[in-house]
Amino acid sequence: MVLSANDKSNVKGVFSKISSHAEEYGAETLERMFTTYPQTKTYFPHFDLHHGSAQVKAHGKKVASALIEAANHIDDIAGALSKLSDLHAQKLRVDPVNFKLLGQCFLVVVAIHHPSALTPEVHASLDKFLCAVGNVLTSKYR
Amino acid sequence: MVHWSAEEKQFITSVWSKVNVEECGAEALARLLIVYPWTQRFFDNFGNLSSPTAIIGNPKVRAHGKKVLTSFGEAVKNLENLKATYAKLSELHCEKLHVDPENFRLLGNILIIVLAAHFNKDFTPTCQATWQKLVGVVAHALAYKYH
């Protein structure tokens, strides 16, 4: 799966709209993921996961910032996320299936807040981008 | 058998009552064919699927999208009895249509995105969770008779 020039442009376009809402959208993505897929909470036994949790807000900001970083370096996502990739492989070891679940919830958040921006073509590009990020983060698992 | 709380049933019926089945079905199917282009393999006789514009404007896509989502409406009416409701359709998808059940999950996820874009903030996290559960059990029921 390769990101075309159009995909890259579509992704950058979406992220230009959402960058200023990183913390908010990141937190909402996580909240939706924890609500919809309760098994994802098993990675956060040390967190307060109630609505409005400061820990979820902070972590949402981290997750969103990483996605923004990847979008800003879309020609070399592996390079941009190399340290995060190491972290996930060596320490976090989040099962690969969960990146799809996070991706689905992120798409829902974009759909809710920017429905007109999420045209079918942009939807396709963003889905591909999120897959690419998931692939990079799990690339050193074995 | 799947258990539905009173709150979940409320989320399902209230969202469904506001869905334009024709529009939503057409959009969901078009997005499936655009976002996951390999799903076009089942629609060789649909004519022009060569671009997102072609897919969105394709009358066969619209008609089939409406058909699919109308059938989804049967799930909403028969929440306690989904396996029986979809038994014949499951056999059809296995024996005649040869559709990998993974495609039901893909379409379910696309439907969620379409609903989210339509309902915005009203599509709360718990509402989303209910609908993800619904599309998951529909996919399971459609795959149930596979052999």
Side-chain angles (χ1 to χ4, degrees):
Chain A
M1 182 196 58
V2 170
L3 295 175
S4 69
N6 264 358
D7 288 327
K8 292 178 184 179
S9 156
N10 285 340
V11 169
K12 282 180 179 299
V14 166
F15 273 83
S16 72
K17 292 185 168 62
I18 69 179
S19 287
S20 56
H21 301 275
E23 182 179 322
E24 185 199 332
Y25 292 175
E28 187 178 342
T29 298
L30 289 178
E31 183 179 358
R32 284 179 182 275
M33 188 183 71
F34 294 141
T35 307
T36 307
Y37 309 109
Q39 66 272 25
T40 56
K41 294 190 291 185
T42 58
Y43 292 96
F44 300 92
H46 52 302
F47 266 31
D48 164 23
L49 295 178
H50 292 102
H51 177 73
S53 152
Q55 285 176 305
V56 173
K57 281 195 181 135
H59 198 68
K61 186 175 178 186
K62 267 193 204 173
V63 170
S65 299
L67 289 175
I68 289 167
E69 184 73 1
N72 287 340
H73 295 89
I74 203 163
D75 290 323
D76 182 19
I77 297 175
L81 300 186
S82 179
K83 287 209 162 44
L84 260 184
S85 178
D86 291 337
L87 182 73
H88 281 78
Q90 291 154 20
K91 184 145 174 280
L92 304 177
R93 292 168 293 183
V94 172
D95 191 284
V97 71
N98 294 287
F99 296 98
K100 283 195 183 159
L101 306 183
L102 181 75
Q104 169 73 359
C105 291
F106 183 75
L107 284 169
V108 167
V109 169
V110 174
I112 285 173
H113 295 282
H114 302 274
S116 52
L118 199 69
T119 63
E121 295 96 320
V122 170
H123 179 170
S125 298
L126 198 50
D127 193 272
K128 279 174 82 173
F129 168 74
L130 293 167
C131 281
V133 169
N135 286 344
V136 163
L137 290 177
T138 58
S139 61
K140 300 174 192 174
Y141 272 31
R142 56 177 173 170
Chain B
M1 212 194 66
V2 184
H3 171 73
W4 301 97
S5 70
E7 190 195 39
E8 286 172 329
K9 289 184 192 179
Q10 205 2 59
F11 279 133
I12 291 169
T13 48
S14 78
V15 164
W16 190 251
S17 69
K18 300 184 191 103
V19 166
N20 178 322
V21 170
E22 180 167 352
E23 285 305 321
C24 186
E27 179 163 3
L29 187 63
R31 281 183 186 256
L32 179 74
L33 299 174
I34 292 165
V35 178
Y36 307 115
W38 54 93
T39 59
Q40 293 169 24
R41 69 191 296 286
F42 301 108
F43 301 104
D44 279 342
N45 63 332
F46 268 30
N48 187 3
L49 299 178
S50 60
S51 70
T53 313
I55 291 169
I56 292 164
N58 184 309
K60 286 189 174 176
V61 171
R62 285 193 73 84
H64 196 68
K66 179 182 174 182
K67 189 175 181 183
V68 167
L69 206 62
T70 302
S71 168
F72 196 87
E74 290 303 301
V76 174
K77 287 195 283 204
N78 291 285
L79 291 176
E80 310 295 341
N81 208 1
L82 288 172
K83 287 200 175 82
T85 303
Y86 284 117
K88 287 240 157 6
L89 263 182
S90 180
E91 283 167 10
L92 178 77
H93 281 76
C94 172
E95 291 159 18
K96 290 258 155 29
L97 305 178
H98 309 295
V99 176
D100 178 349
E102 180 59 23
N103 292 283
F104 309 141
R105 292 177 251 290
L106 292 179
L107 181 63
N109 279 341
I110 294 271
L111 178 61
I112 298 293
I113 306 286
V114 171
L115 293 176
H118 186 76
F119 288 94
N120 307 123
K121 287 194 167 60
D122 289 343
F123 201 61
T124 61
T126 32
C127 186
Q128 179 191 349
T130 300
W131 273 83
Q132 296 273 185
K133 177 178 168 181
L134 178 59
V135 300
V137 301
V138 168
H140 183 77
L142 272 173
Y144 193 66
K145 291 293 207 178
Y146 271 56
H147 56 88

